[in-house]
Coordinates of all heavy atoms in Angstrom, one line a residue:
G652 N 30.8 -9.3 62.6 CA 30.9 -8.2 63.6 C 31.9 -8.6 64.6 O 32.3 -9.8 64.7
V653 N 32.2 -7.7 65.5 CA 33.1 -7.9 66.6 C 32.2 -7.7 67.9 O 31.5 -6.7 68.0 CB 34.2 -6.9 66.6 CG1 35.1 -7.1 67.8 CG2 35.1 -7.0 65.3
Y654 N 32.3 -8.6 68.8 CA 31.4 -8.6 70.0 C 32.3 -8.7 71.3 O 33.3 -9.4 71.3 CB 30.5 -9.8 69.9 CG 29.6 -9.8 68.7 CD1 30.1 -10.4 67.5 CD2 28.4 -9.2 68.7 CE1 29.3 -10.4 66.4 CE2 27.6 -9.2 67.5 CZ 28.1 -9.8 66.4 OH 27.3 -9.8 65.3
D655 N 31.8 -8.0 72.3 CA 32.4 -8.1 73.6 C 31.4 -8.7 74.5 O 30.4 -8.1 74.9 CB 32.8 -6.7 74.2 CG 33.4 -6.8 75.6 OD1 33.5 -7.9 76.1 OD2 33.8 -5.7 76.1
M656 N 31.5 -10.0 74.8 CA 30.5 -10.8 75.5 C 30.9 -10.9 77.0 O 30.2 -11.6 77.7 CB 30.4 -12.2 74.9 CG 30.1 -12.2 73.4 SD 28.5 -11.4 73.0 CE 27.3 -12.5 73.9
T657 N 31.8 -10.1 77.4 CA 32.3 -10.2 78.8 C 31.1 -10.1 79.8 O 31.0 -10.9 80.8 CB 33.3 -9.0 79.1 OG1 34.3 -9.1 78.2 CG2 33.8 -9.1 80.5
D658 N 30.2 -9.2 79.7 CA 29.1 -9.0 80.6 C 28.1 -10.1 80.5 O 27.2 -10.2 81.4 CB 28.4 -7.6 80.4 CG 29.3 -6.5 80.8 OD1 30.3 -6.7 81.6 OD2 29.0 -5.4 80.4
Y659 N 28.1 -10.9 79.5 CA 27.1 -12.0 79.3 C 27.7 -13.4 79.7 O 26.9 -14.3 80.0 CB 26.7 -12.0 77.9 CG 25.7 -13.1 77.6 CD1 24.4 -13.1 78.1 CD2 26.0 -14.3 76.9 CE1 23.5 -14.1 77.9 CE2 25.1 -15.3 76.7 CZ 23.8 -15.2 77.1 OH 22.9 -16.2 76.9
M660 N 29.0 -13.5 79.8 CA 29.6 -14.8 80.0 C 29.0 -15.6 81.2 O 28.7 -16.8 81.0 CB 31.1 -14.7 80.1 CG 31.8 -14.3 78.8 SD 33.5 -14.1 78.9 CE 34.1 -15.8 79.0
A661 N 28.8 -15.0 82.3 CA 28.3 -15.7 83.5 C 26.9 -16.2 83.3 O 26.4 -17.2 83.9 CB 28.4 -14.9 84.7
A662 N 26.1 -15.5 82.4 CA 24.7 -15.9 82.1 C 24.6 -16.9 81.0 O 23.5 -17.4 80.8 CB 23.9 -14.6 81.8
H663 N 25.6 -17.2 80.2 CA 25.5 -18.1 79.1 C 25.1 -19.5 79.6 O 25.7 -20.1 80.5 CB 26.8 -18.2 78.4 CG 26.8 -19.0 77.1 ND1 27.0 -20.4 77.1 CD2 26.4 -18.7 75.9 CE1 26.9 -20.8 75.9 NE2 26.5 -19.8 75.1
P664 N 24.0 -20.1 79.1 CA 23.5 -21.4 79.5 C 24.6 -22.5 79.5 O 24.6 -23.4 80.3 CB 22.3 -21.7 78.6 CG 21.9 -20.4 78.1 CD 23.2 -19.5 78.0
G665 N 25.5 -22.4 78.5 CA 26.5 -23.5 78.4 C 27.8 -23.2 79.2 O 28.7 -24.0 79.2
G666 N 27.7 -22.1 79.9 CA 28.9 -21.7 80.8 C 29.8 -20.7 80.1 O 29.9 -20.7 78.8
A667 N 30.5 -20.0 80.9 CA 31.5 -19.0 80.4 C 32.6 -19.6 79.5 O 33.0 -19.0 78.5 CB 32.1 -18.2 81.5
S668 N 32.9 -20.8 79.8 CA 34.0 -21.5 79.0 C 33.7 -21.7 77.6 O 34.5 -21.7 76.7 CB 34.4 -22.8 79.6 OG 33.3 -23.7 79.6
R669 N 32.4 -21.8 77.2 CA 32.0 -22.0 75.9 C 32.2 -20.7 75.1 O 32.5 -20.7 73.9 CB 30.5 -22.4 75.8 CG 30.2 -23.8 76.3 CD 30.9 -24.8 75.4 NE 30.7 -26.1 75.9 CZ 31.5 -27.1 75.6 NH1 32.6 -26.9 74.9 NH2 31.3 -28.3 76.1
I670 N 32.0 -19.6 75.7 CA 32.3 -18.3 75.0 C 33.8 -18.0 75.0 O 34.3 -17.6 73.9 CB 31.5 -17.1 75.8 CG1 30.0 -17.3 75.6 CG2 32.0 -15.8 75.2 CD1 29.2 -16.3 76.4
A671 N 34.5 -18.3 76.1 CA 35.9 -18.1 76.1 C 36.7 -18.9 75.0 O 37.7 -18.4 74.5 CB 36.4 -18.4 77.5
M672 N 36.2 -20.1 74.7 CA 36.9 -20.9 73.7 C 36.9 -20.3 72.3 O 37.7 -20.6 71.4 CB 36.3 -22.3 73.6 CG 35.0 -22.5 73.0 SD 34.5 -24.2 73.1 CE 33.3 -24.3 71.8
V673 N 36.0 -19.3 72.1 CA 35.9 -18.7 70.8 C 36.7 -17.4 70.7 O 37.1 -17.0 69.6 CB 34.4 -18.3 70.5 CG1 34.3 -17.6 69.1 CG2 33.6 -19.6 70.5
E674 N 37.1 -16.8 71.8 CA 37.7 -15.4 71.8 C 38.7 -15.2 70.7 O 39.6 -15.9 70.5 CB 38.3 -15.1 73.2 CG 39.4 -16.1 73.6 CD 39.8 -15.8 75.0 OE1 39.5 -14.8 75.6 OE2 40.5 -16.7 75.6
G675 N 38.4 -14.1 70.0 CA 39.3 -13.7 68.9 C 39.2 -14.5 67.6 O 40.0 -14.3 66.7
Q676 N 38.2 -15.4 67.5 CA 38.1 -16.3 66.4 C 36.8 -16.0 65.7 O 36.0 -15.3 66.1 CB 38.2 -17.8 66.8 CG 39.5 -18.1 67.5 CD 39.6 -19.6 67.7 OE1 39.7 -20.4 66.8 NE2 39.5 -20.0 69.0
D677 N 36.7 -16.7 64.5 CA 35.4 -16.6 63.7 C 34.4 -17.5 64.3 O 34.5 -18.7 64.3 CB 35.8 -17.0 62.3 CG 34.5 -17.0 61.4 OD1 33.5 -16.4 61.7 OD2 34.6 -17.6 60.3
L678 N 33.3 -16.9 64.8 CA 32.2 -17.6 65.5 C 31.5 -18.5 64.6 O 30.9 -19.5 65.0 CB 31.3 -16.5 66.1 CG 30.1 -17.0 66.9 CD1 30.6 -17.8 68.1 CD2 29.2 -15.9 67.3
S679 N 31.4 -18.2 63.3 CA 30.6 -19.0 62.4 C 31.1 -20.5 62.3 O 30.2 -21.4 62.2 CB 30.6 -18.4 60.9 OG 31.9 -18.5 60.4
K680 N 32.3 -20.8 62.5 CA 32.8 -22.2 62.5 C 32.2 -22.9 63.7 O 31.9 -24.1 63.7 CB 34.3 -22.3 62.5 CG 34.9 -21.9 61.2 CD 36.3 -22.1 61.1 CE 36.9 -21.6 59.7 NZ 38.3 -21.9 59.6
F681 N 32.1 -22.2 64.9 CA 31.5 -22.8 66.1 C 30.0 -23.0 65.9 O 29.5 -24.0 66.3 CB 31.9 -22.0 67.3 CG 33.4 -21.9 67.6 CD1 34.2 -21.0 66.9 CD2 33.9 -22.8 68.5 CE1 35.5 -21.0 67.1 CE2 35.3 -22.7 68.8 CZ 36.1 -21.8 68.1
W682 N 29.4 -22.0 65.4 CA 27.9 -22.0 65.3 C 27.5 -23.0 64.2 O 26.3 -23.4 64.2 CB 27.4 -20.6 65.1 CG 27.2 -19.9 66.4 CD1 27.8 -20.2 67.6 CD2 26.4 -18.8 66.6 NE1 27.5 -19.3 68.5 CE2 26.6 -18.4 68.0 CE3 25.6 -18.0 65.8 CZ2 26.0 -17.3 68.6 CZ3 25.0 -16.9 66.4 CH2 25.2 -16.6 67.8
S683 N 28.4 -23.4 63.3 CA 28.0 -24.4 62.4 C 27.8 -25.8 63.1 O 27.1 -26.7 62.6 CB 29.0 -24.6 61.2 OG 30.2 -25.1 61.7
V684 N 28.4 -25.9 64.3 CA 28.2 -27.1 65.1 C 27.1 -26.9 66.1 O 26.2 -27.7 66.3 CB 29.5 -27.5 65.8 CG1 29.3 -28.6 66.8 CG2 30.6 -27.9 64.8
Y685 N 27.1 -25.7 66.7 CA 26.1 -25.4 67.7 C 24.9 -24.6 67.0 O 24.7 -23.5 67.3 CB 26.7 -24.6 68.9 CG 27.8 -25.3 69.6 CD1 29.1 -24.9 69.4 CD2 27.5 -26.4 70.4 CE1 30.1 -25.6 70.1 CE2 28.5 -27.1 71.0 CZ 29.8 -26.7 70.9 OH 30.8 -27.4 71.5
T686 N 24.2 -25.3 66.2 CA 23.2 -24.6 65.3 C 22.0 -24.1 66.1 O 21.2 -23.3 65.5 CB 22.7 -25.6 64.2 OG1 22.1 -26.8 64.8 CG2 23.8 -26.0 63.3
L687 N 21.8 -24.5 67.3 CA 20.7 -23.9 68.1 C 20.8 -22.4 68.3 O 19.8 -21.8 68.6 CB 20.6 -24.6 69.5 CG 21.8 -24.4 70.4 CD1 21.4 -23.5 71.5 CD2 22.3 -25.7 70.9
H688 N 22.0 -21.9 68.0 CA 22.2 -20.4 68.1 C 21.6 -19.6 67.0 O 21.5 -18.4 67.0 CB 23.7 -20.1 68.2 CG 24.3 -20.6 69.5 ND1 24.9 -21.8 69.6 CD2 24.3 -20.0 70.7 CE1 25.3 -21.9 70.9 NE2 25.0 -20.9 71.6
H689 N 21.2 -20.3 65.9 CA 20.6 -19.6 64.8 C 19.1 -19.3 65.0 O 18.2 -19.8 64.3 CB 20.8 -20.4 63.5 CG 22.2 -20.7 63.2 ND1 23.0 -19.7 62.6 CD2 23.0 -21.7 63.3 CE1 24.2 -20.1 62.4 NE2 24.3 -21.4 62.8
R690 N 18.8 -18.5 66.0 CA 17.5 -18.1 66.3 C 17.4 -16.6 66.5 O 18.4 -15.9 66.8 CB 17.0 -18.7 67.6 CG 17.0 -20.2 67.5 CD 16.3 -20.8 68.7 NE 17.2 -21.8 69.4 CZ 16.9 -22.3 70.6 NH1 15.9 -21.9 71.3 NH2 17.7 -23.1 71.1
K691 N 16.2 -16.0 66.2 CA 16.0 -14.6 66.2 C 16.4 -14.0 67.5 O 17.1 -12.9 67.6 CB 14.6 -14.3 65.8 CG 14.3 -12.8 65.7 CD 12.9 -12.5 65.4 CE 12.7 -11.0 65.4 NZ 11.3 -10.6 65.1
H692 N 16.0 -14.5 68.6 CA 16.2 -13.9 69.9 C 17.7 -13.9 70.3 O 18.2 -13.0 71.0 CB 15.4 -14.6 71.1 CG 15.9 -15.9 71.5 ND1 15.6 -17.1 70.8 CD2 16.6 -16.3 72.5 CE1 16.1 -18.1 71.4 NE2 16.8 -17.7 72.5
I693 N 18.5 -14.9 69.8 CA 19.9 -14.9 70.0 C 20.6 -13.8 69.2 O 21.5 -13.1 69.6 CB 20.5 -16.3 69.8 CG1 19.9 -17.2 70.8 CG2 22.0 -16.3 69.8 CD1 20.3 -18.7 70.7
A694 N 20.1 -13.6 67.9 CA 20.7 -12.6 67.1 C 20.4 -11.2 67.7 O 21.3 -10.3 67.7 CB 20.1 -12.6 65.7
E695 N 19.3 -11.0 68.3 CA 18.9 -9.8 69.0 C 19.8 -9.6 70.2 O 20.3 -8.5 70.4 CB 17.5 -9.7 69.3 CG 16.5 -9.6 68.1 CD 15.1 -9.9 68.5 OE1 14.8 -10.2 69.7 OE2 14.2 -9.7 67.6
L696 N 20.0 -10.6 70.9 CA 20.9 -10.5 72.1 C 22.3 -10.2 71.7 O 23.0 -9.3 72.3 CB 20.9 -11.8 72.9 CG 21.9 -11.9 74.1 CD1 21.4 -11.0 75.2 CD2 22.0 -13.4 74.6
M697 N 22.8 -10.8 70.7 CA 24.2 -10.6 70.2 C 24.3 -9.1 69.7 O 25.4 -8.5 69.9 CB 24.5 -11.5 69.0 CG 24.7 -12.9 69.3 SD 26.2 -13.3 70.3 CE 27.4 -12.9 69.1
G698 N 23.3 -8.5 69.2 CA 23.4 -7.1 68.7 C 23.7 -6.2 69.9 O 24.3 -5.2 69.7
K699 N 23.3 -6.5 71.1 CA 23.5 -5.7 72.2 C 25.0 -5.6 72.6 O 25.4 -4.7 73.3 CB 22.7 -6.1 73.4 CG 21.2 -6.1 73.2 CD 20.5 -6.6 74.4 CE 19.0 -6.6 74.2 NZ 18.2 -7.2 75.3
F700 N 25.7 -6.6 72.2 CA 27.2 -6.8 72.5 C 28.1 -6.4 71.4 O 29.3 -6.6 71.5 CB 27.4 -8.2 73.1 CG 26.7 -8.5 74.3 CD1 25.5 -9.2 74.3 CD2 27.2 -8.0 75.6 CE1 24.8 -9.4 75.5 CE2 26.5 -8.3 76.7 CZ 25.3 -9.0 76.7
R701 N 27.6 -6.0 70.2 CA 28.4 -5.7 69.1 C 29.2 -4.4 69.3 O 28.6 -3.4 69.7 CB 27.6 -5.6 67.8 CG 28.4 -5.5 66.6 CD 27.5 -5.5 65.3 NE 28.4 -5.5 64.2 CZ 28.1 -6.2 63.1 NH1 27.0 -6.9 63.0 NH2 28.9 -6.1 62.0
I702 N 30.5 -4.5 69.1 CA 31.3 -3.3 69.3 C 32.1 -2.8 68.1 O 32.7 -1.8 68.1 CB 32.3 -3.5 70.5 CG1 33.3 -4.7 70.1 CG2 31.6 -3.7 71.8 CD1 34.4 -4.9 71.1
G703 N 31.9 -3.6 67.0 CA 32.6 -3.1 65.8 C 32.4 -4.1 64.6 O 31.7 -5.1 64.7
T704 N 33.1 -3.8 63.5 CA 33.0 -4.6 62.3 C 34.4 -4.7 61.8 O 35.2 -3.8 61.7 CB 32.1 -3.9 61.3 OG1 30.8 -3.7 61.8 CG2 32.0 -4.7 60.0
L705 N 34.8 -6.0 61.3 CA 36.1 -6.2 60.7 C 36.0 -5.8 59.2 O 35.0 -5.9 58.6 CB 36.4 -7.7 60.8 CG 36.7 -8.3 62.1 CD1 36.8 -9.8 62.0 CD2 37.9 -7.7 62.8
S706 N 37.2 -5.3 58.8 CA 37.3 -5.1 57.3 C 37.3 -6.4 56.6 O 37.5 -7.5 57.2 CB 38.6 -4.4 57.0 OG 39.7 -5.3 57.2
P707 N 36.9 -6.4 55.3 CA 36.9 -7.7 54.6 C 38.3 -8.5 54.7 O 38.3 -9.7 54.8 CB 36.6 -7.3 53.2 CG 35.8 -6.1 53.3 CD 36.4 -5.4 54.5
D708 N 39.4 -7.8 54.6 CA 40.7 -8.4 54.7 C 40.9 -9.0 56.1 O 41.4 -10.1 56.2 CB 41.8 -7.4 54.4 CG 41.9 -7.1 52.9 OD1 41.4 -7.8 52.1 OD2 42.5 -6.0 52.6
D709 N 40.5 -8.3 57.1 CA 40.7 -8.8 58.5 C 39.8 -10.0 58.7 O 40.2 -11.0 59.4 CB 40.4 -7.7 59.5 CG 41.5 -6.7 59.6 OD1 42.6 -7.0 59.2 OD2 41.2 -5.6 60.2
Y710 N 38.6 -10.0 58.1 CA 37.7 -11.1 58.3 C 38.3 -12.3 57.6 O 38.2 -13.4 58.2 CB 36.3 -10.7 57.7 CG 35.3 -11.9 57.9 CD1 35.0 -12.3 59.2 CD2 34.8 -12.5 56.8 CE1 34.1 -13.4 59.4 CE2 33.9 -13.6 57.0 CZ 33.5 -14.0 58.2 OH 32.7 -15.0 58.4
R711 N 38.8 -12.2 56.4 CA 39.4 -13.4 55.8 C 40.6 -13.9 56.6 O 40.8 -15.1 56.7 CB 39.9 -13.0 54.4 CG 38.8 -13.0 53.4 CD 39.3 -12.8 51.9 NE 39.8 -11.5 51.7 CZ 39.1 -10.4 51.4 NH1 37.8 -10.5 51.3 NH2 39.7 -9.3 51.2
T712 N 41.4 -13.0 57.2 CA 42.5 -13.5 58.1 C 42.0 -14.3 59.2 O 42.5 -15.4 59.6 CB 43.3 -12.3 58.6 OG1 43.8 -11.6 57.4 CG2 44.4 -12.7 59.5
V713 N 40.9 -13.7 59.9 CA 40.4 -14.4 61.1 C 39.8 -15.8 60.7 O 40.0 -16.8 61.4 CB 39.3 -13.5 61.8 CG1 38.6 -14.3 62.9 CG2 40.0 -12.3 62.4
Q714 N 39.1 -15.8 59.6 CA 38.5 -17.1 59.1 C 39.6 -18.1 58.9 O 39.4 -19.3 59.3 CB 37.8 -16.9 57.8 CG 36.4 -16.3 57.9 CD 35.7 -16.3 56.5 OE1 36.3 -15.7 55.6 NE2 34.5 -16.8 56.4
G715 N 40.7 -17.7 58.3 CA 41.8 -18.6 58.0 C 42.5 -19.1 59.3 O 43.1 -20.2 59.3
E716 N 42.5 -18.3 60.3 CA 43.2 -18.6 61.5 C 42.4 -19.4 62.5 O 42.9 -19.9 63.5 CB 43.8 -17.3 62.2 CG 44.9 -16.7 61.4 CD 45.3 -15.3 62.0 OE1 44.6 -14.8 62.9 OE2 46.3 -14.8 61.5
T717 N 41.1 -19.4 62.3 CA 40.2 -20.0 63.3 C 40.2 -21.5 63.2 O 40.1 -22.1 62.1 CB 38.7 -19.5 63.1 OG1 38.7 -18.1 63.3 CG2 37.7 -20.2 64.0
V718 N 40.4 -22.2 64.3 CA 40.5 -23.6 64.4 C 39.4 -24.1 65.4 O 39.3 -23.7 66.5 CB 41.9 -24.1 64.9 CG1 41.9 -25.6 65.1 CG2 43.0 -23.6 64.0
F719 N 38.6 -25.0 64.9 CA 37.6 -25.6 65.7 C 37.8 -27.1 65.7 O 37.4 -27.8 64.7 CB 36.2 -25.2 65.3 CG 35.1 -25.8 66.2 CD1 34.9 -25.4 67.5 CD2 34.3 -26.9 65.7 CE1 33.9 -25.9 68.3 CE2 33.3 -27.4 66.6 CZ 33.2 -27.0 67.8
D720 N 38.5 -27.6 66.7 CA 38.7 -29.0 66.8 C 37.5 -29.8 67.3 O 36.7 -29.2 68.0 CB 39.9 -29.3 67.7 CG 41.2 -28.8 67.1 OD1 41.4 -28.8 65.8 OD2 42.1 -28.4 67.8
D721 N 37.5 -31.1 67.0 CA 36.4 -31.9 67.6 C 36.7 -32.1 69.1 O 37.7 -32.7 69.5 CB 36.5 -33.3 66.9 CG 35.4 -34.2 67.4 OD1 34.7 -33.9 68.3 OD2 35.3 -35.3 66.8
P722 N 35.7 -31.6 69.9 CA 35.9 -31.6 71.3 C 35.9 -33.1 71.9 O 36.2 -33.3 73.0 CB 34.8 -30.8 71.9 CG 33.8 -30.8 70.8 CD 34.5 -30.9 69.5
Y723 N 35.4 -34.0 71.1 CA 35.3 -35.4 71.5 C 36.4 -36.3 71.0 O 36.4 -37.5 71.2 CB 33.9 -35.9 71.1 CG 32.8 -35.1 71.6 CD1 32.1 -34.3 70.7 CD2 32.5 -35.0 73.0 CE1 31.1 -33.5 71.2 CE2 31.5 -34.2 73.4 CZ 30.8 -33.4 72.5 OH 29.8 -32.6 72.9
A724 N 37.4 -35.7 70.3 CA 38.4 -36.5 69.6 C 39.2 -37.4 70.5 O 39.6 -38.5 70.1 CB 39.4 -35.6 68.8
N725 N 39.4 -36.9 71.8 CA 40.2 -37.7 72.7 C 39.4 -38.6 73.7 O 40.0 -39.1 74.6 CB 41.2 -36.8 73.5 CG 42.2 -36.1 72.5 OD1 42.7 -36.8 71.6 ND2 42.4 -34.9 72.7
D726 N 38.1 -38.6 73.5 CA 37.3 -39.4 74.3 C 37.5 -40.9 74.1 O 37.9 -41.3 73.0 CB 35.8 -39.2 74.1 CG 35.3 -37.9 74.7 OD1 36.1 -37.2 75.3 OD2 34.1 -37.7 74.7
P727 N 37.4 -41.7 75.1 CA 37.6 -43.2 74.9 C 36.5 -43.8 74.0 O 35.4 -43.3 73.9 CB 37.4 -43.8 76.3 CG 36.7 -42.7 77.1 CD 37.0 -41.4 76.5
V728 N 36.9 -44.8 73.3 CA 35.9 -45.5 72.5 C 34.9 -46.2 73.4 O 35.3 -46.8 74.4 CB 36.7 -46.6 71.6 CG1 35.7 -47.4 70.8 CG2 37.7 -45.9 70.7
R729 N 33.7 -46.1 73.0 CA 32.6 -46.7 73.8 C 32.0 -47.8 73.1 O 31.7 -47.7 71.9 CB 31.6 -45.6 74.2 CG 32.1 -44.5 75.1 CD 31.0 -43.5 75.3 NE 31.5 -42.5 76.3 CZ 32.2 -41.4 76.0 NH1 32.6 -41.2 74.8 NH2 32.5 -40.6 77.0
N730 N 31.7 -48.9 73.8 CA 31.0 -50.0 73.2 C 29.5 -49.6 73.3 O 29.0 -49.4 74.4 CB 31.2 -51.3 74.0 CG 32.7 -51.7 73.9 OD1 33.2 -51.6 72.8 ND2 33.3 -52.2 74.9
V731 N 28.8 -49.5 72.2 CA 27.4 -49.1 72.2 C 26.6 -50.3 71.8 O 26.9 -51.1 70.9 CB 27.2 -48.0 71.1 CG1 25.8 -47.6 71.0 CG2 28.1 -46.8 71.4
H732 N 25.5 -50.5 72.6 CA 24.6 -51.6 72.4 C 24.0 -51.5 71.0 O 23.7 -50.4 70.5 CB 23.5 -51.6 73.4 CG 22.6 -52.8 73.4 ND1 21.6 -53.0 72.5 CD2 22.7 -53.9 74.1 CE1 21.0 -54.1 72.7 NE2 21.7 -54.7 73.7
P733 N 23.9 -52.6 70.2 CA 23.4 -52.5 68.8 C 22.1 -51.8 68.7 O 21.8 -51.3 67.6 CB 23.4 -53.9 68.4 CG 23.9 -54.8 69.5 CD 24.2 -53.9 70.7
R734 N 21.2 -51.9 69.7 CA 19.9 -51.3 69.6 C 19.8 -49.8 70.1 O 18.8 -49.2 70.1 CB 18.9 -52.1 70.3 CG 18.6 -53.4 69.5 CD 17.5 -54.2 70.1 NE 18.1 -55.2 70.9 CZ 17.5 -55.9 71.8 NH1 16.3 -55.7 72.1 NH2 18.1 -56.9 72.5
A735 N 21.0 -49.3 70.6 CA 21.0 -48.0 71.1 C 20.9 -46.9 70.0 O 21.4 -47.1 68.9 CB 22.3 -47.7 71.9
R736 N 20.1 -45.9 70.2 CA 20.0 -44.8 69.3 C 20.9 -43.7 69.6 O 21.0 -43.2 70.7 CB 18.6 -44.2 69.3 CG 17.5 -45.2 68.8 CD 16.2 -44.5 68.7 NE 15.1 -45.4 68.5 CZ 13.9 -45.1 68.5 NH1 13.5 -43.9 68.8 NH2 13.0 -46.0 68.3
I737 N 21.7 -43.3 68.7 CA 22.7 -42.2 68.9 C 22.5 -41.1 67.9 O 22.2 -41.3 66.8 CB 24.2 -42.8 68.8 CG1 24.4 -43.8 69.8 CG2 25.1 -41.6 68.9 CD1 25.7 -44.5 69.8

């Protein structure tokens, strides 16, 4: 689906920037990392913001163009204590 989340951005628990980083892209690649979104109440909330549906061809195009980089790729290497749980 196509969603306009403008009115929800300020209320998003992770901040508006988390929604803004997805704009115009395939949300499924992001949600494969942020799996906590796969809950019934979130699906119901998203339904309130649905404004359309992509054609199958347009969906394939968006899937191919969506890039989700590792947000931690440029973080410094950390020395972790051997007994630390990560």
Side-chain angles (χ1 to χ4, degrees):
V653 178
Y654 302 86
D655 180 356
M656 302 302 294
T657 305
D658 292 339
Y659 179 71
M660 289 179 74
H663 186 269
S668 64
R669 293 294 179 202
I670 294 176
M672 72 183 202
V673 179
E674 61 187 346
Q676 299 186 69
D677 177 14
L678 183 62
S679 65
K680 290 186 180 183
F681 295 83
W682 279 17
S683 67
V684 173
Y685 300 109
T686 57
L687 63 110
H688 292 94
H689 298 286
R690 297 192 237 170
K691 183 180 177 182
H692 74 280
I693 294 176
E695 291 169 356
L696 175 69
M697 292 288 294
K699 296 176 184 177
F700 296 98
R701 189 172 184 146
I702 59 171
T704 302
L705 293 174
S706 70
D708 287 341
D709 286 341
Y710 182 62
R711 280 189 291 279
T712 298
V713 170
Q714 278 184 311
E716 293 174 350
T717 298
V718 176
F719 181 72
D720 293 328
D721 180 353
Y723 307 107
N725 296 318
D726 280 5
V728 176
R729 292 179 175 85
N730 295 323
V731 179
H732 190 278
R734 286 185 261 165
R736 291 185 193 174
I737 299 177

